[in-house]
């Protein structure tokens, strides 16, 4: 009896009633953070052929984890550098919390825009 393509590739089957069903498993992946999720959504909605190619090659979650890691590191560095450059200190936070929150939100928004342009929308 000739082997099926699945068997030729090293697959196994299990008996379910009168049927032989392939033993398929989904590779385990680490949870993807917010930047990886945003990249996944962008790929799915705007670059679907790339999304599909990554998905079928088994490289999608590695790609998303890599993007997530790089984007998170850059995001943290940008916030720290911008806050230092604009002299937003813990002293300002203690003296005028509302001003500190406003300035930090402004920095966070600018850092997000940079991350979107450098990692998500490319």
């Amino acid at each position: 009896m000739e082997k099926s393509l699945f068997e030729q590739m090293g697959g196994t089957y299990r008996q379910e009633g009168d049927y032989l069903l392939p033993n398929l498993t989904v590779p385990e992946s680490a949870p993807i953070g917010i930047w990886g999720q945003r990249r996944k959504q962008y790929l799915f909605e705007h670059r679907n052929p790339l999304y599909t190619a990554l998905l079928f090659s088994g490289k999608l979650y590695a790609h998303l984890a890599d993007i997530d890691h790089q984007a998170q590191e850059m995001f943290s560095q940008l916030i720290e550098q911008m806050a230092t450059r604009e002299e937003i200190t813990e002293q300002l936070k203690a003296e005028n919390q509302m001003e500190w929150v406003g300035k930090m939100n402004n920095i966070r928004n600018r850092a997000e825009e940079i991350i979107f342009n450098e990692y998500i929308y490319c």
Side-chain angles (χ1 to χ4, degrees):
M1 184 170 164
E2 188 176 315
K3 285 185 174 184
S4 70
L5 179 61
F6 186 74
E7 287 176 311
Q8 291 172 11
M9 293 175 49
T12 60
Y13 290 88
R14 69 182 185 283
Q15 183 83 32
E16 293 283 333
D18 293 338
Y19 300 99
L20 289 175
L21 299 176
N23 294 321
L24 301 175
T25 59
V26 176
E28 290 188 32
S29 63
I32 304 298
I34 189 71
W35 300 113
Q37 291 173 17
R38 288 175 177 171
R39 174 70 172 164
K40 180 180 178 184
Q41 181 180 359
Y42 172 77
L43 290 175
F44 183 77
E45 292 176 1
H46 301 284
R47 309 260 324 261
N48 200 273
L50 177 57
Y51 173 85
T52 304
L54 288 169
L55 180 64
F56 288 147
S57 69
K59 297 178 182 177
L60 178 63
Y61 288 99
H63 170 75
L64 296 176
D66 186 42
I67 291 293
D68 187 67
H69 177 73
Q70 290 178 29
Q72 185 59 46
E73 279 188 7
M74 185 175 197
F75 183 71
S76 298
Q77 288 176 357
L78 285 170
I79 288 178
E80 185 179 321
Q81 290 171 357
M82 288 179 186
T84 301
R85 188 175 335 126
E86 296 174 25
E87 298 177 355
I88 301 172
T89 62
E90 290 297 317
Q91 182 180 354
L92 175 62
K93 183 178 179 181
E95 293 172 358
N96 190 343
Q97 290 180 353
M98 291 305 291
E99 182 181 355
W100 182 86
V101 168
K103 288 183 176 189
M104 289 304 290
N105 282 343
N106 184 291
I107 286 173
R108 187 174 196 278
N109 290 338
R110 288 184 286 154
E112 279 184 357
E113 282 300 312
I114 292 168
I115 298 299
F116 276 114
N117 289 321
E118 294 290 322
Y119 291 101
I120 307 304
Y121 300 147
C122 59

